[in-house]
Amino acid sequence: MKGHDLAWQLPLRLTAGTYVLDSGLHKRDPDEETAKYLHGFASGAYPFLDAVEPVTFAKSLATAEMLIGAALVVPLVPARLAGLGLLGFGAGLLGLYARTPGMRRPGTVFPTQDGIALAKDSWLVAIGAALALGDRR
């Protein structure tokens, strides 16, 4: 990674990467109740996930988060690749925000009190896009 690229990429990669990695580490060994909650929330927005067992879903989600988080914090992984992973993950979270009833104020894209946590995940999409589009290699 070139000095200029490192200067603007490192804060983005470390901020998003440690957040996503930590999230995955906390989900890697879910209890049944947590797995059912995560699965129910996700399958409400993405019905094809109904076919996946809750614990399998939660462990797969944890693995994906850990891989994306690690790719972001390890500077040897090209920014474009790490950014695309984060962009896809963040887009999935924004899909939850868009498809889950009660997350947005009626007729707007703006969050309700319950939707603020998911709406804030838009920064993951922005960081992923910046890394994917800004890499000069």
Side-chain angles (χ1 to χ4, degrees), residues 13-14 16-30 55-74 77 82 85-86 89 93 124:
R13 291 180 75 148
L14 290 178
T18 55
Y19 175 84
V20 174
L21 180 59
D22 181 65
S23 179
L25 288 170
H26 281 91
K27 289 182 186 104
R28 69 180 168 200
D29 191 24
V55 172
T56 301
F57 170 77
K59 287 184 176 188
S60 297
L61 176 62
T63 300
E65 287 180 329
M66 289 185 293
L67 289 171
I68 292 166
L72 287 161
V73 299
V74 175
V77 176
L86 183 60
F89 178 68
L93 292 172
L124 296 175

Side-chain angles (χ1 to χ4, degrees), residues 49-131:
L49 292 174
D50 281 334
V52 180
E53 291 297 319
V55 172
T56 301
F57 170 77
K59 287 184 176 188
S60 297
L61 176 62
T63 300
E65 287 180 329
M66 289 185 293
L67 289 171
I68 292 166
L72 287 161
V73 299
V74 175
L76 297 175
V77 176
R80 183 165 287 135
L81 179 62
L84 286 172
L86 183 60
L87 182 59
F89 178 68
L93 292 172
L94 287 183
L96 286 174
Y97 172 70
R99 296 174 179 192
T100 302
M103 295 292 117
R104 292 174 290 114
R105 288 181 263 162
T108 74
V109 297
F110 300 106
T112 61
Q113 193 64 34
D114 291 339
I116 289 174
L118 282 174
K120 286 182 179 178
D121 287 333
S122 59
W123 63 272
L124 296 175
V125 172
I127 291 171
L131 291 170

